[in-house]
Every structure is written in structure tokens, then in C-alpha cells.
Amino acid sequence: MAIGTALWSFALVVGLLTLTPGLDTALILRTSALGRRKRAWGVVLGIQTGTLLWGALTSLGVTALLTASHVAYTALRWVGAAYLVWMGVRMLWATFKGQPAPVADEVAVLSGMDSMGGGWRQGALTNLLNPKMGAFYVAVLPQFIPPGTDHFSMGLLFTAVHIAVGLVWSTVLIGCARLLHGWLRKSQARRLLDRLTGTVIAAFGIRLAFSN
């Protein structure tokens, strides 16, 4: 497979993965819709930092060792699941208590009003505690690397493609979420958004905990 063909094929695969609604989409949309533009971009950059690390570790073969070790993979899976469930439940609990919805990263311990750094920490932590990212890279990335090329360099190149696709989609999400900002000035609308986001995050954590 030629390098150009491999890159386009990989971009198609990760593009479909990126467009599938999930945890990253929920976090970015909620943070941006609440008017926390800097924090939303921090979340985006944190997620892409996690993607870069997973891609680099896969290229070095480290994540192959992680997925080969059932104990290590299971431990990381349970830690990630517990973090996501805690994040979602905290968000839901605040809405049912009648309190203001937690500011975008309050549920991630390291909060701040509209801090890019706080958003980056939340995005990176959420991504790095998801062992399925590592499993995805171990299973998919080697299939696209052309024979005779340097695995580490090509792995980083494919990871850069994934990050570029993610940044483009995140830009679209943040732009669309800004349209909801006026509607979210109503407390009922904010509670609805937080309940939806909290449910998605908690459900993702539960699914991660009980998946093989």
C-alpha cells in the first residue's frame, strides 16, 4: 500500500470514528455551549494531547504490551470507568439538588471559570484513562503502515492525521454550540444539557467497566 493511499484510508477510518457521537463530543459541546470558549478549546487540545500520546506509545510498542497484559488493561479500564461515572454522577446530582450546574471542569477536580489549562487537564485525563484508545491504535494503526517504512515515524504521521481530523470536527462543534448559548441562559435549559451530558458520561463509564 502506497503511503498516500494509506493516509487517505486511515483518515477515512478515524473520520468516521470522530463523527460518531460519544464522550468527547459531549464534553466539547457542553463546555462551549455554556460560553466557556477558552475552556472548550482546552478540552479539545487535551483530548488531542491524549491521542498523540496513545499514538506515540503504540508506535513504540508500549500499548501493545499494555493490551497483552490482562491485569494492566483491566486496572486502567476500571480506573477510567470510575472517573467517568464519578464525573457523570456529580453532574447529575448537582442538577437534581437544584444547584447551579458545575462549571465545565468542576467535576474534574481542577476547575476554573474559563481556563484553557483546566479544560486541557480534563480533556487529557479523560482520553488517557480510556484504554480503548490504546486498544484501537494497537489493532488499527499497524494495518495501515506500509511495509519497509519506519514504524515510529509513520505511526506519528498517522496520529497527526487523526489529530487534524479531530481539530476540524471540534471547530465545527464549538461553532455550532455557540448558537445554543442564548438558550442556555435559562436555568432549565442548563439543567437539561447537564442531565444529558452527565448521563452520556456515566453510561460511557459503565459500559467501559463491563466491556471486555
Side-chain angles (χ1 to χ4, degrees):
M1 184 186 296
I3 294 178
T5 303
L7 287 172
W8 279 111
S9 301
F10 184 75
L12 177 61
V13 171
V14 296
L16 293 173
L17 177 67
T18 301
L19 291 174
T20 303
L23 178 62
D24 293 349
T25 299
L27 288 174
I28 294 169
L29 279 176
R30 177 185 181 270
T31 308
S32 181
L34 291 178
R36 317 276 187 233
R37 191 174 182 85
K38 289 182 180 179
R39 181 172 292 274
W41 276 111
V43 171
V44 170
L45 294 178
I47 291 170
Q48 301 312 324
T49 298
T51 299
L52 176 60
L53 288 175
W54 280 121
L57 290 173
T58 300
S59 301
L60 288 171
V62 175
T63 48
L65 297 176
L66 174 65
T67 53
S69 171
H70 179 71
V71 174
Y73 182 86
T74 300
L76 182 58
R77 178 164 58 86
W78 277 101
V79 170
Y83 168 72
L84 294 176
V85 171
W86 176 70
M87 185 190 301
V89 169
R90 279 287 302 276
M91 195 176 294
L92 289 168
W93 180 250
T95 65
F96 284 108
K97 287 178 64 178
Q99 297 176 348
V103 175
D105 198 24
E106 181 183 326
V107 292
V109 180
L110 299 166
S111 63
M113 286 304 295
D114 192 15
S115 160
M116 183 174 287
W120 180 87
R121 286 188 288 268
Q122 183 185 18
L125 189 60
T126 300
N127 187 286
L128 291 173
L129 287 178
N130 182 7
K132 288 191 173 183
M133 278 293 295
F136 167 80
Y137 266 90
V138 169
V140 174
L141 192 60
Q143 312 303 321
F144 290 90
I145 296 180
T149 58
D150 181 71
H151 282 202
F152 183 70
S153 299
M154 289 303 300
L156 290 183
L157 180 59
F158 283 113
T159 303
V161 170
H162 191 179
I163 291 173
V165 171
L167 289 174
V168 170
W169 179 236
S170 297
T171 301
V172 174
L173 289 177
I174 291 175
C176 292
R178 294 293 295 173
L179 301 176
L180 299 175
H181 183 52
W183 176 66
L184 287 171
R185 291 178 180 177
K186 301 177 182 178
S187 59
Q188 290 182 338
R190 292 187 61 175
R191 282 197 297 271
L192 175 61
L193 177 64
D194 281 341
R195 286 174 185 176
L196 288 173
T197 308
T199 300
V200 169
I201 292 173
F204 190 91
I206 293 172
R207 180 182 177 186
L208 179 61
F210 293 99
S211 63
N212 291 324

